[in-house]
Amino acid sequence: MKYFFLKILLLNGICLFAQSSEVYTWFDNEIGLENSSLYNGIEFINLYNPINNKHRFFEAQTFSNGNVSYDKQEFYNVALKYDLFEDQLIVKIENPKGTNQILLLKDKIENFEIEKKYFEYLKEAKFKNDFSPGFYQLLTENENFKLYKRNRKKIDKGIKNNAVYYEFKEVKPIYVVKSENEYFEVKRKRDLTKRYPDLKKELSNFRWNSKNFKKNDSQLILAINKLGQVLEK
């Protein structure tokens, strides 16, 4: 709490002379992240040593610079890693005694950005259906819609040469649309045409295949943006 109020006081005095993200980064470097609320978490210990580079993380198993909104504070240019197996966000904090990897508390995370991808934590209370709470990647948004993607990985365990090995593989993602404060899952095109029958013609040009996730992203983004443009008229 002292860190929070000190941060506000100092930032109010200098924010007129630099971009806010640069000021926040300067302050965090001066004070030390080990003295911030980012240290309010659990130490991360990776119990699995995967083979064939089939790791549990989003994009890469190394840390990347990112931004996170945590415990009602903004942190920029911090080392982050997103665990898709257990849906956890990990931050690396350097301190005089060494390096710590901290699992941030989910209920304190509002959003984060990593590898130029933006994620929001959607709580269970927001859903009318059976979607599980967790981190959802925001693919696109307009005045009428938000399109989210839930990225996931599963673990495979095997034995080779009398040794146990692990591999993590992508699981079919979940696509969720938010419209008028209501969330619904999109598995196929008819989920949209059924919900918006008057826009069936506009959706007829879009195709996606449940086996091609990357193609699904681009086609769904185009479809949602097209729907938003039509509804804005």
Side-chain angles (χ1 to χ4, degrees), residues 11-224:
L11 293 179
N12 282 340
I14 61 177
C15 66
L16 295 178
F17 304 98
Q19 294 183 2
S20 60
S21 60
E22 295 175 352
V23 175
Y24 275 95
T25 300
W26 169 84
F27 180 87
D28 292 330
N29 289 334
E30 291 295 312
I31 301 300
L33 291 177
E34 69 273 16
N35 297 312
S36 73
S37 60
L38 286 181
Y39 222 69
N40 181 14
I42 304 169
E43 184 178 5
F44 172 73
I45 300 175
N46 192 355
L47 300 177
Y48 307 103
N49 187 22
I51 64 172
N52 301 322
N53 198 34
K54 294 185 177 180
H55 53 80
R56 63 197 288 175
F57 302 103
F58 177 75
E59 299 288 353
Q61 59 181 334
T62 55
F63 282 91
S64 302
N65 276 351
N67 311 317
V68 59
S69 178
Y70 186 69
D71 199 17
K72 299 180 180 180
Q73 298 181 55
E74 303 296 329
F75 296 90
Y76 297 93
N77 298 315
V78 293
L80 298 175
K81 192 159 56 173
Y82 175 27
D83 176 9
L84 293 180
F85 176 55
E86 295 186 332
D87 197 38
Q88 300 278 7
L89 185 62
I90 306 158
V91 61
K92 181 173 70 172
I93 298 178
E94 306 282 353
N95 61 69
K97 295 182 180 180
T99 301
N100 295 99
Q101 296 186 27
I102 304 296
L103 279 174
L104 297 180
L105 304 178
K106 278 188 179 182
D107 60 352
K108 292 182 178 292
I109 301 172
E110 183 176 347
N111 56 68
F112 68 91
E113 184 178 0
I114 186 172
E115 299 290 346
K116 297 183 179 180
K117 306 295 194 306
Y118 182 80
F119 297 83
E120 294 180 8
Y121 181 64
L122 303 183
K123 297 182 180 179
E124 189 174 14
K126 292 185 176 181
F127 296 107
K128 292 184 177 180
N129 299 312
D130 295 327
F131 306 127
S132 59
F135 297 119
Y136 287 74
Q137 180 185 351
L138 179 62
L139 296 179
T140 189
E141 65 178 319
N142 52 57
E143 291 294 326
N144 296 284
F145 301 102
K146 278 188 173 184
L147 174 63
Y148 294 97
K149 178 183 179 181
R150 181 73 179 270
N151 300 278
R152 302 175 295 167
K153 284 187 177 181
K154 66 178 182 178
I155 187 172
D156 280 348
K157 177 181 177 182
I159 298 177
K160 186 176 182 180
N161 298 328
N162 296 321
V164 177
Y165 70 87
Y166 300 95
E167 290 183 334
F168 292 87
K169 299 180 180 180
E170 290 188 22
V171 178
K172 183 178 178 181
I174 298 173
Y175 294 95
V176 176
V177 173
K178 178 185 178 183
S179 177
E180 297 180 346
N181 293 321
E182 183 179 353
Y183 295 81
F184 60 93
E185 186 177 359
V186 177
K187 293 183 178 180
R188 54 189 67 84
K189 185 170 68 174
R190 70 183 183 193
D191 292 328
L192 289 175
T193 55
K194 183 177 180 180
R195 195 172 188 90
Y196 302 100
D198 294 340
L199 302 178
K200 187 174 182 178
K201 180 180 179 181
E202 284 75 7
L203 290 167
S204 61
N205 295 325
F206 298 101
R207 301 285 187 274
W208 53 79
N209 187 329
S210 61
K211 296 181 180 180
N212 191 333
F213 302 153
K214 292 184 178 180
K215 184 178 180 181
N216 280 354
D217 283 4
S218 61
Q219 287 296 297
L220 278 171
I221 289 171
L222 288 172
I224 292 301

